[in-house]
Coordinates of all heavy atoms in Angstrom, one line a residue:
K6 N -10.1 1.9 9.2 CA -9.0 1.1 9.6 C -7.7 1.9 9.9 O -6.8 1.4 10.5 CB -8.6 0.2 8.4 CG -9.7 -0.9 8.2 CD -9.3 -1.8 7.0 CE -10.4 -2.8 6.6 NZ -10.0 -3.6 5.5
A7 N -7.8 3.2 9.6 CA -6.6 4.0 9.8 C -6.1 4.1 11.2 O -4.9 4.2 11.4 CB -6.9 5.4 9.2
Y8 N -7.0 4.1 12.2 CA -6.6 4.2 13.6 C -5.8 3.0 14.1 O -5.2 3.0 15.1 CB -7.8 4.5 14.4 CG -8.5 5.7 14.0 CD1 -9.8 5.7 13.4 CD2 -8.0 7.0 14.3 CE1 -10.4 6.9 13.0 CE2 -8.6 8.2 14.0 CZ -9.8 8.1 13.3 OH -10.5 9.2 12.9
H9 N -6.0 1.9 13.4 CA -5.3 0.6 13.8 C -4.0 0.4 13.1 O -3.3 -0.6 13.4 CB -6.2 -0.6 13.6 CG -7.6 -0.4 14.1 ND1 -7.9 -0.3 15.4 CD2 -8.8 -0.2 13.4 CE1 -9.2 -0.1 15.6 NE2 -9.8 0.0 14.4
K10 N -3.6 1.3 12.2 CA -2.4 1.0 11.4 C -1.5 2.2 11.4 O -1.9 3.3 11.3 CB -2.8 0.6 9.9 CG -3.6 -0.7 9.8 CD -3.8 -1.0 8.4 CE -4.5 -2.3 8.2 NZ -4.8 -2.7 6.8
A11 N -0.2 1.9 11.4 CA 0.8 3.0 11.2 C 1.7 2.6 10.0 O 2.2 1.5 9.9 CB 1.7 3.1 12.5
F12 N 1.8 3.5 9.1 CA 2.5 3.2 7.8 C 3.9 3.9 7.8 O 3.9 5.1 7.8 CB 1.7 3.6 6.6 CG 0.3 2.9 6.5 CD1 -0.8 3.5 7.0 CD2 0.3 1.6 6.0 CE1 -2.0 2.8 7.0 CE2 -0.9 1.0 5.9 CZ -2.1 1.6 6.4
S13 N 4.9 3.1 7.8 CA 6.3 3.6 7.7 C 6.6 3.9 6.2 O 5.9 3.5 5.3 CB 7.3 2.6 8.3 OG 7.3 1.4 7.5
V14 N 7.7 4.6 6.0 CA 8.2 4.8 4.6 C 8.4 3.5 3.9 O 8.1 3.3 2.7 CB 9.5 5.7 4.7 CG1 10.0 5.8 3.3 CG2 9.1 7.1 5.2
S15 N 9.0 2.5 4.6 CA 9.2 1.2 4.0 C 7.9 0.5 3.7 O 7.8 -0.1 2.6 CB 10.0 0.3 5.0 OG 10.2 -0.9 4.5
D16 N 6.9 0.6 4.5 CA 5.6 0.0 4.2 C 5.0 0.6 3.0 O 4.5 -0.2 2.1 CB 4.6 0.2 5.4 CG 5.1 -0.5 6.7 OD1 5.8 -1.5 6.5 OD2 4.7 -0.1 7.8
I17 N 4.9 1.9 2.8 CA 4.2 2.5 1.7 C 5.0 2.3 0.4 O 4.5 2.1 -0.7 CB 3.9 4.0 1.9 CG1 5.2 4.8 2.1 CG2 2.9 4.1 3.1 CD1 4.9 6.3 2.3
T18 N 6.4 2.2 0.5 CA 7.2 1.9 -0.7 C 7.0 0.5 -1.2 O 6.8 0.3 -2.4 CB 8.7 2.1 -0.3 OG1 8.9 3.5 0.2 CG2 9.5 2.0 -1.6
T19 N 6.9 -0.4 -0.2 CA 6.7 -1.8 -0.6 C 5.3 -2.0 -1.2 O 5.1 -2.7 -2.2 CB 6.8 -2.7 0.6 OG1 8.1 -2.6 1.2 CG2 6.5 -4.2 0.3
A20 N 4.3 -1.3 -0.7 CA 2.9 -1.4 -1.2 C 2.8 -0.9 -2.6 O 2.0 -1.4 -3.4 CB 2.0 -0.6 -0.3
C21 N 3.6 0.1 -3.0 CA 3.5 0.6 -4.3 C 3.9 -0.4 -5.4 O 3.5 -0.3 -6.5 CB 4.4 1.9 -4.5 SG 3.5 3.4 -4.3
F22 N 4.7 -1.3 -5.0 CA 5.2 -2.4 -6.0 C 4.2 -3.6 -6.0 O 4.5 -4.5 -6.8 CB 6.6 -2.8 -5.7 CG 7.6 -1.8 -6.0 CD1 8.0 -0.8 -5.1 CD2 8.2 -1.8 -7.3 CE1 9.0 0.1 -5.5 CE2 9.2 -0.9 -7.7 CZ 9.6 0.1 -6.8
E23 N 3.2 -3.5 -5.2 CA 2.2 -4.6 -5.2 C 1.1 -4.4 -6.2 O 0.7 -3.3 -6.5 CB 1.6 -4.8 -3.8 CG 2.6 -5.2 -2.7 CD 2.0 -5.2 -1.3 OE1 0.8 -4.8 -1.2 OE2 2.8 -5.5 -0.4
F24 N 0.7 -5.5 -6.8 CA -0.3 -5.5 -7.9 C -1.6 -4.8 -7.4 O -2.2 -4.1 -8.2 CB -0.5 -6.9 -8.3 CG -1.6 -7.0 -9.4 CD1 -1.4 -6.4 -10.6 CD2 -2.8 -7.8 -9.2 CE1 -2.4 -6.5 -11.6 CE2 -3.7 -7.9 -10.2 CZ -3.5 -7.3 -11.4
S25 N -1.9 -5.0 -6.2 CA -3.2 -4.5 -5.7 C -3.2 -3.0 -5.5 O -4.3 -2.4 -5.4 CB -3.5 -5.1 -4.3 OG -2.5 -4.8 -3.4
N26 N -2.1 -2.3 -5.6 CA -2.0 -0.8 -5.5 C -1.8 -0.2 -6.8 O -1.7 1.1 -6.9 CB -0.9 -0.4 -4.5 CG -1.4 -0.6 -3.1 OD1 -1.6 -1.7 -2.6 ND2 -1.4 0.5 -2.3
Q27 N -1.7 -0.9 -7.9 CA -1.5 -0.4 -9.2 C -2.8 0.2 -9.8 O -3.9 -0.5 -9.6 CB -1.0 -1.4 -10.2 CG 0.3 -2.1 -9.8 CD 1.5 -1.3 -10.3 OE1 1.4 -0.3 -11.1 NE2 2.7 -1.6 -9.8
L28 N -2.8 1.3 -10.4 CA -4.0 1.9 -10.9 C -4.2 1.5 -12.4 O -5.1 2.1 -13.1 CB -4.0 3.5 -10.8 CG -3.7 4.1 -9.4 CD1 -3.9 5.6 -9.4 CD2 -4.7 3.4 -8.4
V29 N -3.5 0.5 -12.8 CA -3.6 -0.1 -14.1 C -3.6 -1.6 -14.0 O -2.8 -2.1 -13.2 CB -2.5 0.3 -15.1 CG1 -2.7 -0.3 -16.5 CG2 -2.4 1.8 -15.2
K30 N -4.5 -2.3 -14.7 CA -4.6 -3.7 -14.6 C -3.5 -4.4 -15.4 O -3.7 -5.0 -16.5 CB -6.0 -4.2 -15.1 CG -7.1 -4.2 -14.0 CD -6.9 -5.3 -13.0 CE -8.0 -5.3 -12.0 NZ -7.9 -6.3 -11.0
C31 N -2.3 -4.3 -14.9 CA -1.1 -5.0 -15.5 C -0.3 -5.5 -14.3 O -0.1 -4.8 -13.3 CB -0.3 -4.0 -16.3 SG -1.0 -3.5 -17.9

C-alpha cells in the first residue's frame, strides 16, 4: 500500500493518537 499513500507530518502525528496504532491494549 505504500506506493498509493503519502504521509505528512500531520498524518503520522494524528495516527499516533489513534487506538489502532497503540502498542498496548488501552
